[in-house]
């Protein structure tokens, strides 16, 4: 019987900080087709481990170094990789190495910008997880530094590499559902009543460098809900489910509608039912208006169950001829019968006749289905190919920035409780100076993003 090692079970003292993988090679120029891309992973928790699996599926990917601020994860990961990778708790030591071509950043969101910028300046190509940044100004800086340094970049929105989503974009561009007038996406999960609970502050678990976990975020006593994985419910480290799932969804929506920035944003909701120490609403609705349409919405229902609208759709596009649903592994198009309005001047009996007529209107398009799995490995492949050939990836940092910004605007609209108008070129709100103050934040010393 094979025994799968869990992180918890693996406690042997494998961690040998400073252990050097015996790989030496100059990193100049384009890599040959058969050459391996040497990778360092920064953040080997939940997502870092998933990405390790994804990259390991490619023979030309070699993980030579890992970094995390939690020893048990480092030990687990080092053992899984085998062959004595370089192991460190300080990502700057990993970036110093010249036996690494590219890094994968899978740390909490508040670390992405600093680690990304430092990696670019250290000459590494970067695969960075979504959401790109915690605030808009960080993302702008990341785009600028990637351009200045000529690095190949990819944001971890794996749906970009999915044939299913590509098919959706092609179909909509071909006019398969007519003009898209509305799009919506939803995250629904019933966490009532206790959610993530309300644990007291306390000592960090052994092996966790809490100060380095916090990094540029404000100094805080350790709380288990602010730490590993749970950070996503706290504003110092994350934008909540709106940026966590929303970046995936809004990235697909902006790709499919061919527009990368809204004109305005509104948000409403609250922490209505879940009794835990999260800082985000358990129920919210965010609405973006794009130039000439569509109207796009994100729904979070974290305190009510079931699928919305009777369909397990995560993303849907509603057009003048039909609707397109992107389920996890399935794309579906349904037809919308067109209803012509009865003429106002006509009598009630005529209108009733018209209504009967409308209901029998023929479909204008045929229903359609397409199945495929969304695979992390495909997104990893695209990055490896980008690194080797120096061609841009499918979701480079500038595209990832635009998708992330849209979600970040939603949180600002929620904080300001008003409809905000957005100038995407200047990356400023035009009708609320207070909202503009939320586009950046001051890092805790000594951390600086410059
Ligand atoms: N693309 C996806 O489908 C997907 C899925 C899950 C998570 N994510 C993203 O991945 C990121 C990480 O989320 P997670 O669920 O893996 O959380 P996690 O807490 O499980 O993992 C984050 C890891 O980063 C480590 N870390 C914190 N500060 C660090 C530092 N300064 N240097 C090195 N390591 C540090 C933590 O110790 C932890 O092990 C988030 O940005 C999240 O949005 C993406």
């Amino acid at each position: 019987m094979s025994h799968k090692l869990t992180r918890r079970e693996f406690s042997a003292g494998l961690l040998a900080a400073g252990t050097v993988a015996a790989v030496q090679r100059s990193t100049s120029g384009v890599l040959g087709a058969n050459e391996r891309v040497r990778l360092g992973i920064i953040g080997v928790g939940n997502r870092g481990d998933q990405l390790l699996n994804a990259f390991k599926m490619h023979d030309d990917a070699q993980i030579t170094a890992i970094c995390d601020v939690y020893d048990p994860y480092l030990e687990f990961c080092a053992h899984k990789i085998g062959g004595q990778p370089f192991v460190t708790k300080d990502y700057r030591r990993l970036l110093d190495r010249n036996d690494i071509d590219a890094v994968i950043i899978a740390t909490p969101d508040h670390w992405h910008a600093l680690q990304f910028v430092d990696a670019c300046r250290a000459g590494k190509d970067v695969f960075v997880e979504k959401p790109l940044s915690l605030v808009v100004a960080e993302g702008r800086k990341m785009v600028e530094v990637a351009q200045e340094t000529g690095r190949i970049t990819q944001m971890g929105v794996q749906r970009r590499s999915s044939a299913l989503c590509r098919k959706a974009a092609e179909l909509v561009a071909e006019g398969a559902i007519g003009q898209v007038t509305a799009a919506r996406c939803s995250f629904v999960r019933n966490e009532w009543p206790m959610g993530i609970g309300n644990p007291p502050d306390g000592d960090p678990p052994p092996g966790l460098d809490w100060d380095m976990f916090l990094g540029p975020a404000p100094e805080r006593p350790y709380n288990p809900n602010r730490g590993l994985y749970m950070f996503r419910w706290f504003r110092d480290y994350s934008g909540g489910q709106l940026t966590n799932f929303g970046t995936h969804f809004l990235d697909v929506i902006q790709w499919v509608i061919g527009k990368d920035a809204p004109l305005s944003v509104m948000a409403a909701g609250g922490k209505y039912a879940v009794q835990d120490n999260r800082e985000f609403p358990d129920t919210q609705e965010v609405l973006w208006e794009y130039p000439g349409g569509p109207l796009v919405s994100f729904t979070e229902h974290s305190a009510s169950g079931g699928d919305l609208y009777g369909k397990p759709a995560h993303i849907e596009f509603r057009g003048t001829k039909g609707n397109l649903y992107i389920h996890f592994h399935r794309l579906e198009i349904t037809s919308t019968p067109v209803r012509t309005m009865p003429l106002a001047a006509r009598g009630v009996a005529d209108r009733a006749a018209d209504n009967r007529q409308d209901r029998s209107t023929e479909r204008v398009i045929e229903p359609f289905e397409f199945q495929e799995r969304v695979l992390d490995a495909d997104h990893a492949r695209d990055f490896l190919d980008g690194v080797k050939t120096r061609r841009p990836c499918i979701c480079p940092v500038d595209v990832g920035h635009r998708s992330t910004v849209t979600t970040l605007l939603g949180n600002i609209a929620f904080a300001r409780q008003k409809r905000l108008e957005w100038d995407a070129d200047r990356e400023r709100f035009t009708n609320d100076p207070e909202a503009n103050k939320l586009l950046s934040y001051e890092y805790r010393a000594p951390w600086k993003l410059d």
Side-chain angles (χ1 to χ4, degrees):
M1 192 184 87
S2 76
H3 175 68
K4 197 165 177 282
L5 203 62
T6 66
R7 294 179 197 286
R8 220 170 282 255
E9 285 166 325
F10 188 86
S11 57
L14 215 164
L15 173 62
T19 304
V20 182
V23 188
Q24 293 299 332
R25 177 178 62 172
S26 89
T27 54
S28 59
V30 176
L31 295 178
N34 297 324
E35 271 190 278
R36 292 173 126 193
V37 178
R38 298 160 309 171
L39 297 156
I41 310 182
I42 305 175
V44 292
N46 165 46
R47 185 59 181 162
D49 186 51
Q50 292 170 9
L51 289 173
L52 169 62
N53 294 339
F55 277 90
K56 267 171 57 135
M57 290 176 77
H58 303 293
D59 289 342
D60 57 347
Q62 181 181 17
I63 315 289
T64 56
I66 54 172
C67 169
D68 202 288
V69 295
Y70 187 46
D71 287 341
Y73 283 4
L74 278 175
E75 291 164 4
F76 175 86
C77 186
H79 185 262
K80 191 165 173 178
I81 295 166
Q84 294 196 322
F86 174 76
V87 176
T88 178
K89 278 172 117 162
D90 185 339
Y91 75 95
R92 293 164 296 188
R93 301 292 77 77
L94 183 148
L95 296 179
D96 286 342
R97 301 187 60 81
N98 64 9
D99 61 355
I100 295 170
D101 304 307
V103 294
I104 297 161
I105 299 175
T107 47
D109 315 355
H110 69 292
W111 263 114
H112 292 178
L114 264 175
Q115 292 173 337
F116 178 98
V117 162
D118 288 348
C120 288
R121 289 185 176 143
K124 317 298 183 200
D125 296 322
V126 189
F127 182 112
V128 59
E129 263 312 324
K130 47 46 64 177
L132 187 70
S133 62
L134 190 64
V135 290
V136 172
E138 289 178 322
R140 172 56 33 211
K141 185 78 186 173
M142 295 162 87
V143 172
E144 283 165 12
V145 173
Q147 271 164 6
E148 279 158 26
T149 54
R151 303 325 304 166
I152 295 296
T153 59
Q154 174 90 303
M155 187 173 82
V157 278
Q158 54 275 18
R159 285 163 184 76
R160 277 271 168 176
S161 292
S162 128
L164 189 146
C165 295
R166 197 174 320 126
K167 185 86 185 166
E170 283 165 12
L171 285 166
V172 170
E174 286 163 9
I177 58 167
Q179 181 188 344
V180 178
T181 50
R184 54 190 185 185
C185 53
S186 50
F187 172 81
V188 179
R189 181 166 74 188
N190 193 355
E191 297 166 9
W192 175 84
M194 286 317 295
I196 58 172
N198 207 340
D201 291 347
D203 291 332
L208 177 66
D209 182 340
W210 181 234
D211 186 61
M212 196 61 176
F213 187 101
L214 290 175
E219 191 173 350
R220 296 265 332 179
Y222 174 76
N223 185 288
N225 275 358
R226 288 174 169 271
L228 301 165
Y229 189 82
M230 311 305 283
F231 64 84
R232 44 177 53 62
W233 281 279
F234 292 84
R235 295 189 189 280
D236 287 345
Y237 329 108
S238 168
Q241 300 299 15
L242 172 57
T243 65
N244 191 33
F245 279 89
T247 306
H248 283 300
F249 299 160
L250 266 298
D251 182 66
V252 172
I253 288 174
Q254 294 196 156
W255 173 21
V256 170
I257 66 173
K259 296 178 184 176
D260 67 0
L263 287 173
S264 77
V265 58
M266 289 173 260
K271 194 171 165 183
Y272 298 143
V274 172
Q275 298 146 32
D276 60 15
N277 66 347
R278 80 179 57 191
E279 293 180 339
F280 291 101
D282 58 32
T283 307
Q284 65 173 319
E285 202 72 42
V286 182
L287 206 54
W288 297 268
E289 294 165 289
Y290 284 76
L295 185 63
V296 174
S297 71
F298 168 86
T299 299
E300 175 178 357
H301 288 181
S302 286
S304 68
D307 298 316
L308 278 180
Y309 321 117
K311 283 195 185 276
H314 292 266
I315 310 175
E316 65 183 79
F317 298 89
R318 307 177 70 81
T320 49
K321 293 183 181 171
N323 300 335
L324 185 151
Y325 301 89
I326 300 179
H327 309 294
F328 258 121
H329 303 310
R330 196 160 64 85
L331 182 158
E332 182 192 2
I333 282 186
T334 60
S335 178
T336 316
V338 176
R339 179 191 173 103
T340 309
M341 284 299 151
L343 291 175
R346 294 160 70 189
V348 174
D350 291 336
R351 282 192 203 185
D354 275 342
N355 284 342
R356 279 195 296 280
Q357 177 79 31
D358 294 336
R359 280 191 203 104
S360 66
T361 303
E362 277 181 34
R363 286 175 169 153
V364 278
I365 52 171
E366 280 308 307
F368 172 92
E369 278 200 33
F370 179 80
Q371 302 233 7
E372 184 238 20
R373 295 198 51 177
V374 179
L375 290 178
D376 287 337
D378 293 343
H379 208 46
R381 179 71 259 158
D382 182 68
F383 178 64
L384 293 169
D385 290 343
V387 170
K388 286 177 137 183
T389 62
R390 312 313 294 167
R391 63 115 173 95
C393 292
I394 198 157
C395 190
V397 63
D398 51 323
V399 177
H401 174 56
R402 289 292 196 154
S403 305
T404 301
V405 164
T406 299
T407 64
L408 295 175
L409 300 186
N411 275 337
I412 297 176
F414 188 87
R416 296 295 301 143
Q417 290 289 299
K418 63 196 276 197
R419 178 177 178 277
L420 299 175
E421 289 167 13
W422 180 241
D423 177 341
D425 292 335
R426 290 175 53 241
E427 296 195 334
R428 309 291 291 172
F429 295 106
T430 53
N431 64 338
D432 187 17
E434 287 302 309
N436 283 328
K437 293 183 186 163
L438 302 176
L439 297 171
S440 60
Y441 83 102
E442 195 156 329
Y443 279 13
R444 181 171 68 113
W447 300 102
K448 275 197 197 131
L449 187 69
D450 51 21

